[in-house]
């Protein structure tokens, strides 16, 4: 006789036997797996916290909506009670959100055009403020008599300036980088309490160019390039880095002062010289000013004894005299009087410095023989402007 195993053999009905087995199994699993029990408790606690936070957030939202309704009702009530307003309530609410007539006429460009012309126009709005701020800071930012405490001859400094023209032009650096480099070098000489020797000039010049390039250029020269290509491995990278730290600490990290390049450009813009000349002659004037401003920095007797504002006005006067020969309607003397009055410099002193600059321009090769990089990289003819 075949006996089949089923739950009825135990003598207990099947529906009554399942419940105790399930309770025993659940209790056994919980006792055997405490991790699962703890996770279950954490899940239940998190669920309760989430429900509470949702309830509180809903209450906060409800309060905000009630507050907004109160504000709307109070505003509507105030508008209705104001007898001077238009009696129609709808008209009042629409007027509250309409622009004034002056603002409605403004046309907004879909995209700002970053062109040279728009940048020039933008600069004209702030030329006065920029120029006179730099003029106020000039006593602190213009280096003067910077070689008197050092054993560096002025002719060797001029040779360094000529080499800086070659290096920075060869590496396609901007003109402003050159002027910042020269100002940094001279400013370091003026502020340094240590007496510098001729042997320090090369390191100071290389490091000044390195600092100026990092400050002005979008893609500055790397230290490895300065070490290999510019210093020709005669200076170590540690020497350059130490001198960089020394220069910056000595000048108080002051790299934002106005340079000669900044000031003569601001004067030309502030005095609206562009509108008084033909386009071709104005471009020629700008090239003349750039050449003369770099040339002035060679001569210690000129750049070391006068501030940048006076030098900028004087070299502009020399450029005016040259352009006057090209455009007969342009009167250099009357224009320089206006310039001197606007920038507030002494006219007699301006003419005196301009005479020195003109003499330097005529006899540059005699004063500085074998220094040809200025002419090589910044020399030009009038015909070059048409190319």
């Amino acid at each position: 006789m075949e006996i089949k195993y089923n739950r009825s053999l135990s003598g207990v009905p099947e529906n009554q036997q399942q419940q105790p087995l399930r309770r025993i199994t659940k209790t056994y699993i919980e006792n055997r797996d405490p991790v699962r029990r703890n996770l279950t408790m954490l899940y239940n606690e998190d669920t309760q916290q989430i429900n509470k936070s949702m309830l509180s957030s809903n209450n906060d939202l409800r309060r905000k909506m009630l507050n907004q309704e109160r504000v709307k009702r109070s505003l509507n009530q105030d508008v209705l009670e104001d007898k001077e307003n238009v009696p129609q309530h709808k008209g009042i609410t629409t007027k509250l959100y309409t622009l004034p007539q002056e603002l409605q006429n403004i046309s907004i460009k879909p995209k700002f055009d970053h062109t040279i012309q728009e940048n020039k126009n933008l600069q004209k709005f702030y030329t006065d403020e920029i120029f006179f701020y730099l003029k106020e800071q000039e006593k602190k930012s213009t280096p003067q008599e910077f070689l008197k405490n050092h054993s560096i001859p002025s002719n060797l400094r001029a040779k360094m300036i000529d080499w800086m023209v070659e290096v920075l032009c060869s590496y396609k650096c901007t003109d402003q980088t050159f002027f910042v480099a020269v100002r940094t070098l001279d400013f370091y000489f003026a502020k340094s309490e240590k007496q510098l020797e001729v042997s320090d000039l090369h390191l100071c010049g290389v490091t000044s160019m390195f600092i100026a390039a990092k400050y002005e250029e979008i893609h500055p020269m790397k230290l490895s390039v300065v070490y290999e290509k510019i210093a020709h491995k005669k200076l170590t990278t540690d020497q350059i880095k130490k001198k960089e730290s020394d220069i910056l600490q000595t000048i108080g990290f002051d790299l934002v002062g106005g340079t000669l390049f900044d000031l003569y450009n601001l004067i030309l813009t502030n005095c609206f010289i562009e509108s008084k000349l033909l386009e071709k002659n104005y471009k020629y004037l700008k090239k003349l000013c750039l050449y003369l401003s770099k040339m002035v920095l060679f001569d210690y007797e000129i750049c070391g004894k006068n501030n940048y504002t006076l030098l900028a006005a004087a070299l502009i006067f020399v450029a005016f005299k040259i352009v006057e020969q090209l455009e007969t309607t342009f009167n250099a003397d009357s224009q320089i009087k206006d310039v001197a009055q606007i920038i507030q410099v002494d006219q007699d002193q301006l003419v005196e410095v301009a005479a020195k600059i003109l003499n330097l321009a005529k006899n540059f090769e005699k004063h500085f023989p074998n220094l040809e990089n200025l002419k090589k990289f910044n020399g030009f003819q009038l015909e070059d402007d048409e190319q």
Side-chain angles (χ1 to χ4, degrees), residues 208-251:
S208 297
M209 288 189 289
F210 183 48
I211 293 171
K214 288 202 293 185
Y215 186 74
E216 288 291 336
E217 299 295 326
I218 298 175
H219 303 289
M221 297 179 291
K222 295 182 179 179
L223 181 59
S224 59
V225 175
V226 176
Y227 165 69
E228 295 178 5
K229 305 296 183 181
I230 298 177
H232 300 290
K233 299 183 180 180
K234 294 181 180 179
L235 303 171
T236 64
T237 55
D238 289 336
Q239 284 179 311
I240 297 173
K241 289 190 288 186
K242 288 180 180 178
K243 181 55 68 173
E244 179 185 14
S245 176
D246 182 26
I247 290 176
L248 291 174
Q249 289 181 12
T250 302
I251 67 176

Side-chain angles (χ1 to χ4, degrees), residues 17-227:
Q17 191 177 5
Q18 288 179 354
Q19 294 298 329
L21 287 174
R22 289 179 182 176
R23 286 196 297 271
I24 293 170
T25 304
K26 182 178 180 181
T27 305
Y28 173 75
I29 291 173
E30 288 179 352
N31 293 331
R32 185 179 178 183
D33 192 357
V35 175
R36 180 178 297 180
R37 183 175 66 255
N38 293 335
L39 289 175
T40 304
M41 293 173 62
L42 290 174
Y43 173 78
N44 294 332
E45 291 177 359
D46 291 341
T47 305
Q48 293 176 1
Q49 291 181 359
I50 292 171
N51 293 333
K52 289 180 180 179
S53 62
M54 290 179 64
L55 182 61
S56 61
S57 62
N58 290 333
N59 292 333
D60 292 339
L61 181 62
R62 193 177 295 108
R63 288 194 204 94
K64 290 181 181 180
M65 294 177 64
L66 291 174
N67 289 332
Q68 290 178 356
E69 291 294 331
R70 293 193 192 98
V71 171
K72 287 181 181 180
R73 285 198 299 270
S74 62
L75 287 174
N76 293 336
Q77 187 66 26
D78 292 340
V79 171
L80 289 174
E81 292 177 356
D82 191 357
K83 296 181 180 180
E84 295 181 357
N85 291 337
V86 181
Q88 294 181 357
H89 182 60
K90 293 183 179 180
I92 294 171
T93 54
T94 55
K95 280 191 175 183
L96 289 174
Y97 296 96
T98 56
L99 291 173
Q101 186 65 31
E102 294 81 2
L103 297 178
Q104 290 179 354
N105 297 327
I106 296 176
S107 59
I108 301 175
K109 293 183 179 180
K111 185 179 180 181
F112 185 75
D113 186 13
H114 292 280
T115 60
I116 296 176
Q117 187 61 37
E118 292 212 11
N119 289 334
K120 287 182 178 179
N121 294 335
L122 184 63
Q123 182 189 12
K124 290 178 181 179
F125 290 115
Y126 304 102
T127 302
D128 293 344
E129 289 79 0
I130 295 172
F131 174 78
F132 286 105
Y133 172 76
L134 294 178
K135 193 171 184 296
E136 289 176 1
Q137 301 295 319
E138 195 170 43
K139 293 181 180 179
K140 297 186 295 183
S141 62
T142 302
Q144 292 186 356
E145 301 286 348
F146 42 82
L147 291 181
K148 67 179 181 179
N149 296 326
H150 307 293
S151 301
I152 300 175
S154 59
N155 62 330
L156 289 182
R157 177 193 168 274
K159 189 174 181 180
M160 171 58 67
I161 301 301
D162 189 67
W163 182 61
M164 292 169 76
V165 171
E166 179 186 13
V167 170
L168 295 175
C169 289
S170 299
Y171 282 91
K172 308 299 181 183
C173 295
T174 62
D175 293 318
Q176 177 69 339
T177 302
F178 167 79
F179 286 95
V180 172
V182 175
R183 177 187 175 273
T184 303
L185 179 67
D186 294 341
F187 205 18
Y188 174 66
F189 289 159
K191 295 286 186 179
S192 179
E193 297 179 357
K194 175 186 174 183
Q195 186 177 7
L196 300 173
E197 305 293 336
V198 175
S199 57
D200 299 319
L201 182 60
H202 186 210
L203 178 59
C204 293
V206 170
T207 310
S208 297
M209 288 189 289
F210 183 48
I211 293 171
K214 288 202 293 185
Y215 186 74
E216 288 291 336
E217 299 295 326
I218 298 175
H219 303 289
M221 297 179 291
K222 295 182 179 179
L223 181 59
S224 59
V225 175
V226 176
Y227 165 69

Side-chain angles (χ1 to χ4, degrees), residues 234-339:
K234 294 181 180 179
L235 303 171
T236 64
T237 55
D238 289 336
Q239 284 179 311
I240 297 173
K241 289 190 288 186
K242 288 180 180 178
K243 181 55 68 173
E244 179 185 14
S245 176
D246 182 26
I247 290 176
L248 291 174
Q249 289 181 12
T250 302
I251 67 176
F253 295 86
D254 184 8
L255 297 171
V256 297
T259 63
L260 190 56
F261 181 79
D262 292 322
L263 290 170
Y264 85 72
N265 276 292
L266 288 170
I267 291 172
L268 292 177
T269 305
N270 195 21
C271 298
F272 302 99
I273 304 301
E274 184 176 5
S275 62
K276 301 173 184 178
L277 287 171
L278 298 175
E279 182 180 0
K280 176 183 176 181
N281 293 334
Y282 183 72
K283 290 181 179 179
Y284 184 67
L285 174 70
K286 294 290 291 288
K287 288 186 176 182
L288 274 171
C289 290
L290 178 61
Y291 180 85
L292 293 173
S293 60
K294 288 188 175 183
M295 181 195 69
V296 162
L297 295 178
F298 280 71
D299 196 324
Y300 174 70
E301 295 299 323
I302 297 178
C303 69
K305 304 292 179 65
N306 302 285
N307 58 52
Y308 282 161
T309 302
L310 184 60
L311 290 175
L315 67 90
I316 286 174
F317 185 33
V318 175
F320 280 175
K321 282 294 186 180
I322 299 173
V323 172
E324 187 181 33
Q325 301 175 12
L326 302 174
E327 191 169 333
T328 56
T329 57
F330 184 77
N331 191 332
D333 293 328
S334 63
Q335 292 298 328
I336 203 61
K337 288 181 181 178
D338 295 339
V339 169

